[in-house]
Amino acid sequence: MIDPKYRTDDHYDDDLSMPPSSPSSINSTINSTIELVNKNLAKRYAAEKRFQVYGILSIAFGLFCLLLLFTDIISKGIGAFTIHYVQLEVTFDESVLDINDSSDAMQLALADYQGVVREALKKRFPTVTHRPERRRLYSLVSNGATYHLQDLVQEDLSLLGQTRTLWVLLDDDVDTYLKSREDRSGPFIGRLKSEQIEWIESLYKEGEIESRFNRWFFTSGDSREPEMAGIRGAFIGSLLTLLVTLALSFPVGVAAAVYLEEYAPRNRWTDLIEVNINNLAAVPSIIFGLLGVAIFINFFSMPRSLPLVGGLVLTLMTLPTIIISSRAAIKAVPPSIREAALGIGASKMQMILHHVLPLAMPGMLTGAIIGMAQALGETAPLLMIGMVAFVVDIPTGITDPATVLPVQIFLWADSPERAFTERTSAAIMVLLAFLIIMNTLAVWLRKRLERRW
Amino acid sequence: MLKALCIAVVLFVGTSTSVSVWAARDYIEIVGSSTVYPFATVVAERFGRATPFKTPKVEATGSGGGIKLFCQGVGVGHPDIANSSRRIKAREWEDCRRNGVSDIVEVLIGYDGIIIGQAVDADPISLTQLDVYRALAKRVPNPNGNHSFVDNPYRTWAEVNPALPDQPIEVLGPPPTSGTRDAFVELVLEAGCDQVPWIAAMKSVDEDQHKALCHAVREDGHFVEAGENDNLIVQKLNANPKALGIFGFSFLDQNSDLIKGAMVEGHIPSFDTIANGDYPISRPLYFYVKKAHVGVIPGIKEYLMEFTSNKAWGDEGYLTDKGMIPLPPQRRTWVGTSVRSLEPMAL
């Protein structure tokens, strides 16, 4: 439809369909049009505003959900970064430890360090004599204390026979109680008996209990005792698995993308390959896990739970993502650059290696990092190849059994001990931080390497 | 191109055959039940810290999945120990033997109680196995007394049994893949089923039909499959005090400020009532050891010693701290000696 305003401007006497009109009627038409526009103007402004508000609302909703998630995770998980220690006066009595020859490593390893801790507790609470009561007293201190003392003695043999004031780990029940002491709904008593709470309170009042940074959480592997459980093992496992994935999927993905973009003829076969790659990118990850079991574990009889096998499976999963993003990056390099290189006599390989790849690199790296981030958060395929396992020892290579961060979160979320709840959230925080770092790296790399032409 | 592909394949196969070289595994590999997992992992961890051996790797695959892996063969590529929250089945045992796994040491380690729990501030409820069967089975005996089955008509507990509170039946439980579900169905539903004399009589006539009728759980929304994660059930119970939930005893033990166990057949679930058998719903926990691996994989014998030591599975051992119900002392000595001599089991 022709704008009535336009019509009134200069075409009115050519336009035969319009009835001839006097200047006053022209003016009135203009006025009525302006009126019409003015009348609609408020409505249009409002629509414009509404349109913007929808956008802002969507973003606000997203941010709100994110904030909710973060506050929930952080408020639940922050407690895991501190842990309570108790001060004990420990006497390294050889007769209690059952060591008669301190040069014998086996004796040092098998000595009764728990006995020493128990003696120290008895000394602190001399009135506790009843046997079941004593058992309850002993259970206040974590098993970690035993290993701590063992390490101390093995490092410094002169400690034998000496008395030292040491800070040792408290049991997770006690730790959770102390952390929830100020809660409005009252402290978490759980499995603590009333006399145990009395002992804890008296220690607390005397300043013999202290909250410290939980270094265990970052330095140890998984443990069934929440106070000693850490994410180091899972973190290293994730790192090793990603290393294998990156080392395999990036070169293979880039090579495939270069061939498909630069060399492959356009025919039915390449179309078929393209459809398949796009399809594979959308296949649920558990399928790759099943494939991994069939190929790597059953056919090649590789052991279960290795970062090597995990990396291979995740390679299968991330390859399509990397190929697709690399192809897009190569496609984005303008043909003029290729033609210029060929024009001054470069071979096709030289053209690709010297000109196309460097220019496409930022896009390919971004794709690879996003693929890696996806692989980092993956649990389903790893479930199939046995990386959902209890592994205490920290893996040292790609052929040591390991778990990965999301699997560790899954395992802890499933544990009955209350203290694992906060560790689950803390592990999620670590995983999120890892992801944020990777994605920031992707953005930074793109910004830095990006070239304009 | 084809040549390159051939070379690649040959190389790959070549490297993979050398895979069996690295498989000189120096840690124990344990697979199996997620119910035994919390107990096996504690022992594994302590064993790893106290001895020069590496810490065993424990994988929670479920009882069935674990035994399947275990039975695939002898050799370092296969697990050494399978945990199970039920006894090995004859079919699985046959499967094992067919694959050359003939000498298996069976270790009964203790019991696990199954709890019908409710939120801690809910009105306590006291159930019988028959009540639970009538509330949760898919088809129940006709309420008019005929010896026939009808689709479960009960909507509230009061309809099931007038002594029970008038609130809707809503039970959160594990999915059929879970061992806890198997045990619940067997120990509660089937036991309740057999309290009806004419159904119990059916067992000798047509066992399959009896099993199908007694084991089917209703699917009309009154029984909610809440996933394998027992923590989730605990949280949901707290949000809905009218609902009941089914989970393992260790969750009750650790979360006694949030949940409590419903009375079953007049007994509150507790450590003592489960241990002495008053509380009726408990199941045995086992693990199976491949005898051919003892002496090949370092530490298996020592791991068995640790597991069957008094400080682990004894009345006051550390496994009881994690919620395992210990065997009666005599049974313990008996199992302990047969394990130490690595006596292979017979079915």
Side-chain angles (χ1 to χ4, degrees):
Chain A
M1 207 188 120
I2 303 169
D3 194 321
K5 191 176 163 198
Y6 184 64
R7 193 174 266 230
T8 51
D9 262 1
D10 37 35
H11 287 271
Y12 68 96
D13 41 10
D14 301 340
D15 203 333
L16 296 174
S17 67
M18 279 280 282
S21 40
S22 62
S24 70
S25 79
I26 295 168
N27 269 341
S28 77
T29 325
I30 292 175
N31 283 342
S32 75
T33 313
I34 289 175
E35 246 168 53
L36 201 71
V37 169
N38 280 343
K39 214 166 77 192
N40 271 339
L41 206 57
K43 221 167 147 191
R44 282 168 62 200
Y45 275 131
E48 181 81 20
K49 210 159 229 137
R50 268 204 307 280
F51 190 58
Q52 277 190 37
V53 167
Y54 292 148
I56 291 172
L57 276 181
S58 315
I59 294 174
F61 178 70
L63 280 181
F64 174 73
C65 290
L66 195 72
L67 202 73
L68 208 68
L69 179 78
F70 275 23
T71 40
D72 182 57
I73 290 174
I74 292 175
S75 65
K76 273 190 194 152
I78 198 83
F81 296 111
T82 56
I83 199 160
H84 286 92
Y85 282 73
V86 64
Q87 188 186 41
L88 283 182
E89 209 158 287
V90 182
T91 309
F92 292 92
D93 190 338
E94 277 121 320
S95 62
V96 177
L97 282 169
D98 207 9
I99 295 177
N100 46 36
D101 175 13
S102 60
S103 60
D104 184 354
M106 200 64 197
Q107 261 194 28
L108 286 182
L110 294 179
D112 187 10
Y113 297 99
Q114 202 163 21
V116 177
V117 176
R118 288 181 173 175
E119 287 301 319
L121 278 168
K122 260 194 258 174
K123 206 161 72 187
R124 176 61 182 77
F125 294 98
T127 50
V128 181
T129 48
H130 197 46
R131 206 179 107 76
E133 237 185 347
R134 270 207 181 143
R135 249 176 70 81
R136 265 171 243 147
L137 177 64
Y138 299 154
S139 71
L140 293 184
V141 172
S142 157
N143 259 311
T146 325
Y147 308 126
H148 177 53
L149 295 189
Q150 183 174 355
D151 290 346
L152 283 180
V153 171
Q154 277 171 341
E155 259 167 46
D156 182 10
L157 287 177
S158 65
L159 272 179
L160 291 175
Q162 305 273 322
T163 301
R164 286 275 186 287
T165 307
L166 294 171
W167 288 90
V168 296
L169 265 184
L170 278 166
D171 189 64
D172 59 305
D173 284 334
V174 182
D175 188 50
T176 319
Y177 167 77
L178 286 166
K179 278 174 185 165
S180 61
R181 246 172 123 249
E182 311 294 328
D183 280 7
R184 254 177 301 139
S185 52
F188 169 73
I189 293 167
R191 301 187 303 161
L192 294 177
K193 298 271 183 301
S194 58
E195 68 258 33
Q196 284 175 307
I197 293 173
E198 257 167 53
W199 297 327
I200 299 167
E201 289 295 338
S202 84
L203 284 168
Y204 196 78
K205 263 184 220 115
E206 301 290 318
E208 288 168 72
I209 288 182
E210 219 177 77
S211 173
R212 295 184 177 184
F213 176 68
N214 184 1
R215 69 184 172 84
W216 294 88
F217 188 70
F218 295 98
T219 56
S220 59
D222 196 5
S223 169
R224 286 291 306 156
E225 309 299 332
E227 70 273 14
M228 289 177 350
I231 49 155
R232 176 107 184 266
F235 189 83
I236 304 266
S238 268
L239 223 56
L240 290 170
T241 310
L242 284 187
L243 213 68
V244 174
T245 311
L246 186 67
L248 288 171
S249 64
F250 191 60
V252 174
V254 169
V258 165
Y259 181 80
L260 286 173
E261 276 306 313
E262 300 287 338
Y263 290 101
R266 293 260 158 260
N267 59 25
R268 237 186 307 158
W269 290 110
T270 43
D271 282 349
L272 188 74
I273 291 175
E274 185 162 347
V275 168
N276 271 306
I277 290 174
N278 289 336
N279 227 342
L280 278 178
V283 162
S285 54
I286 186 89
I287 313 269
F288 292 106
L290 289 167
L291 190 71
V293 175
I295 301 177
F296 303 121
I297 294 189
N298 291 346
F299 187 70
F300 290 120
S301 60
M302 289 179 173
R304 295 168 68 81
S305 320
L306 302 189
L308 176 64
V309 183
L312 284 168
V313 170
L314 292 179
T315 300
L316 296 179
M317 200 194 81
T318 43
L319 254 184
T321 316
I322 292 185
I323 294 178
I324 291 171
S325 64
S326 299
R327 286 186 68 177
I330 292 172
K331 232 183 240 165
V333 176
S336 56
I337 286 175
R338 292 189 183 84
E339 281 153 17
L342 292 176
I344 56 168
S347 70
K348 199 155 186 190
M349 192 178 95
Q350 282 173 326
M351 168 201 94
I352 292 167
L353 291 182
H354 297 174
H355 301 279
V356 176
L357 278 188
L359 286 174
M361 198 46 91
M364 296 195 298
L365 279 179
T366 314
I369 292 177
I370 289 170
M372 289 295 117
Q374 211 180 0
L376 174 66
E378 206 51 73
T379 27
L382 302 180
L383 213 108
M384 306 305 299
I385 57 150
M387 285 187 92
V388 183
F390 178 71
V391 180
V392 176
D393 301 334
I394 290 161
T396 52
I398 54 171
T399 54
D400 281 349
T403 53
V404 293
L405 280 171
V407 167
Q408 190 67 73
I409 292 168
F410 168 74
L411 286 173
W412 283 349
D414 217 9
S415 302
E417 288 85 0
R418 178 65 65 88
F420 273 124
T421 320
E422 58 179 24
R423 274 160 187 78
T424 309
S425 295
I428 295 174
M429 284 159 74
V430 172
L431 180 69
L432 283 178
F434 202 161
L435 279 172
I436 289 172
I437 289 172
M438 280 179 78
N439 287 327
T440 321
L441 194 73
V443 172
W444 181 77
L445 269 178
R446 195 168 52 208
K447 283 255 159 70
R448 217 192 119 100
L449 296 176
E450 200 168 45
R451 269 193 244 176
R452 296 186 181 281
W453 45 73
Chain B
M1 177 68 199
L2 202 66
K3 201 175 154 195
L5 198 72
C6 286
I7 292 174
V9 168
V10 168
L11 270 180
F12 199 42
V13 173
T15 45
S16 61
T17 35
S18 65
V19 164
S20 44
V21 177
W22 78 33
R25 182 157 53 81
D26 58 353
Y27 55 89
I28 303 174
E29 195 172 327
I30 303 170
V31 293
S33 162
S34 45
T35 311
V36 185
Y37 173 88
F39 310 127
T41 45
V42 186
V43 179
E45 187 181 347
R46 299 219 177 200
F47 166 79
R49 291 196 204 264
T51 64
F53 300 103
K54 280 199 173 177
T55 312
K57 186 192 86 189
V58 189
E59 222 186 290
T61 58
S63 301
I67 291 177
K68 199 172 149 201
L69 282 172
F70 178 80
C71 285
Q72 262 167 10
V74 173
V76 282
H78 303 287
D80 312 309
I81 294 175
N83 297 325
S84 177
S85 55
R86 54 169 171 77
R87 200 155 189 233
I88 190 169
K89 289 177 185 161
R91 194 168 36 79
E92 292 166 334
W93 161 259
E94 280 306 312
D95 196 36
C96 255
R97 296 237 295 218
R98 215 171 313 123
N99 292 326
V101 187
S102 47
D103 280 0
I104 303 174
V105 182
E106 181 184 62
V107 187
L108 172 65
I109 51 172
Y111 298 98
D112 174 42
I114 292 178
I115 306 303
I116 303 175
Q118 47 185 161
V120 77
D121 43 8
D123 299 329
I125 189 168
S126 172
L127 300 164
T128 65
Q129 283 157 316
L130 184 60
D131 291 339
V132 180
Y133 162 67
R134 283 165 40 134
L136 294 183
K138 189 169 182 185
R139 291 174 71 77
V140 291
N142 201 330
N144 67 17
N146 277 352
H147 287 195
S148 64
F149 284 92
V150 292
D151 282 338
N152 197 329
Y154 305 115
R155 296 167 169 282
T156 65
W157 288 102
E159 287 174 23
V160 172
N161 178 352
L164 293 172
D166 187 17
Q167 55 189 35
I169 298 169
E170 190 181 352
V171 179
L172 308 163
T177 46
S178 150
T180 312
R181 165 79 168 258
D182 287 347
F184 174 76
V185 164
E186 215 162 280
L187 296 167
V188 184
L189 295 193
E190 196 177 334
C193 210
D194 285 341
Q195 284 177 18
V196 182
W198 62 271
I199 304 181
M202 242 171 73
K203 194 169 187 172
S204 51
V205 183
D206 187 347
E207 209 184 323
D208 285 343
Q209 204 202 351
H210 172 264
K211 198 174 162 186
L213 283 167
C214 290
H215 283 209
V217 176
R218 68 195 297 184
E219 287 157 354
D220 54 357
H222 289 284
F223 180 85
V224 184
E225 278 171 16
E228 294 264 12
N229 189 328
D230 288 1
N231 266 332
L232 208 66
I233 299 183
V234 171
Q235 283 173 20
K236 282 184 179 163
L237 284 187
N238 241 12
N240 179 4
K242 287 203 162 42
L244 302 180
I246 297 160
F247 40 83
F249 176 71
S250 46
F251 282 83
L252 177 67
D253 193 33
Q254 295 279 349
N255 295 291
S256 51
D257 62 324
L258 296 176
I259 44 171
K260 62 185 176 196
M263 262 203 249
V264 177
E265 305 285 343
H267 293 281
I268 281 279
S270 76
F271 202 85
D272 298 319
T273 53
I274 299 173
N276 64 23
D278 282 345
Y279 183 79
I281 335 175
S282 71
R283 57 176 157 166
L285 304 175
Y286 295 91
F287 69 83
Y288 294 92
V289 186
K290 219 173 264 177
K291 202 176 170 187
H293 284 195
V294 180
V296 180
I297 305 290
I300 294 185
K301 215 166 177 172
E302 289 78 0
Y303 175 78
L304 292 180
M305 299 291 273
E306 173 78 29
F307 216 127
T308 56
S309 70
N310 236 357
K311 69 174 180 202
W313 74 348
D315 284 334
E316 293 182 344
Y318 56 75
L319 287 173
T320 62
D321 282 345
K322 292 284 171 193
M324 191 187 81
I325 317 292
L327 298 174
Q330 275 171 318
R331 190 76 194 265
R332 217 157 47 217
T333 346
W334 186 66
V335 176
T337 40
S338 85
V339 166
R340 269 179 206 102
S341 59
L342 292 174
E343 219 169 88
M345 66 175 286
L347 213 81

